Amino acid sequence: GDYPLLAYNFRNGLWHKEDELQVLDFCRVGNELYAVDQNKNLLALRGSAGTDEKDFPWMIETAPIGYMQPNRQSVKKLFVRLWLKKGTYADVKLQFDFGPWEQIGTVNGADTVQNIELPMVPRRCDRFKLKISGNGPCKIYAMTFKIEKGSET
């Protein structure tokens, strides 16, 4: 009974789950993309006949990021270059060695590309994960971590 609508992003080579719309058929007329849903409604999905999409919740999560050196390291700062629509936000969390997620900051949208520096209390670990979540349009251009080398013990 689950009908996820998937869209393929050719530029990134990734599939994205759009929603639960059950599409029976698609049709393109010029630059317009139409779909017929399970209730036989004709929907304009793209182009000038469509309406702007409302803000939606989103989230990205990295795979575990390990260090290339044998000693335990610590993340000192996180630098993110991103764009957020004004009136939206993004929460940034880190997880150390598969422990609980810890909020390290919130970024508010400004309709310009922002360079954000999020300092944090260094915590020694073997690996960490990053999660950024928010509501509304967002473009993440780059992420960089400042790592502090650990001791031999």
Side-chain angles (χ1 to χ4, degrees):
D2 190 22
Y3 296 95
L5 178 61
L6 302 174
Y8 186 72
N9 183 319
F10 285 95
R11 186 180 323 150
N12 298 326
L14 297 172
W15 284 96
H16 299 276
K17 182 178 177 182
E18 294 287 324
D19 53 30
E20 301 294 325
L21 178 67
Q22 184 180 354
V23 177
L24 300 177
D25 206 354
F26 288 101
C27 176
R28 188 181 78 177
V29 178
N31 289 330
E32 307 292 340
L33 178 64
Y34 297 93
V36 177
D37 71 5
Q38 71 273 14
N39 298 319
K40 308 284 193 255
N41 295 315
L42 179 63
L43 307 169
L45 300 180
R46 188 173 176 196
S48 60
T51 59
D52 289 340
E53 187 170 32
K54 295 180 180 158
D55 290 348
F56 54 90
W58 56 269
M59 182 267 298
I60 65 160
E61 182 178 320
T62 67
I65 299 169
Y67 301 112
M68 300 303 291
Q69 299 178 11
N71 302 327
R72 290 169 61 93
Q73 325 293 297
S74 62
V75 181
K76 231 178 150 174
K77 289 183 182 179
L78 167 65
F79 301 92
V80 181
R81 182 172 170 78
L82 54 71
W83 173 88
L84 284 166
K85 179 179 154 187
K86 190 171 185 169
T88 63
Y89 67 92
D91 289 326
V92 181
K93 297 179 181 181
L94 280 177
Q95 181 187 56
F96 301 95
D97 290 332
F98 304 106
W101 287 101
E102 298 179 21
Q103 176 103 13
I104 60 167
T106 298
V107 180
N108 292 313
D111 261 343
T112 63
V113 176
Q114 303 175 67
N115 294 307
I116 308 299
E117 178 182 328
L118 296 168
M120 59 202 73
V121 175
R123 173 185 275 173
R124 293 177 72 177
C125 61
D126 288 325
R127 64 191 59 82
F128 63 93
K129 288 171 63 173
L130 170 71
K131 182 189 290 186
I132 304 177
S133 60
N135 191 34
C138 175
K139 292 180 185 177
I140 299 174
Y141 296 101
M143 293 183 289
T144 306
F145 299 94
K146 182 173 183 181
I147 306 296
E148 188 173 75
K149 186 176 179 182
S151 65
E152 293 183 17
T153 58

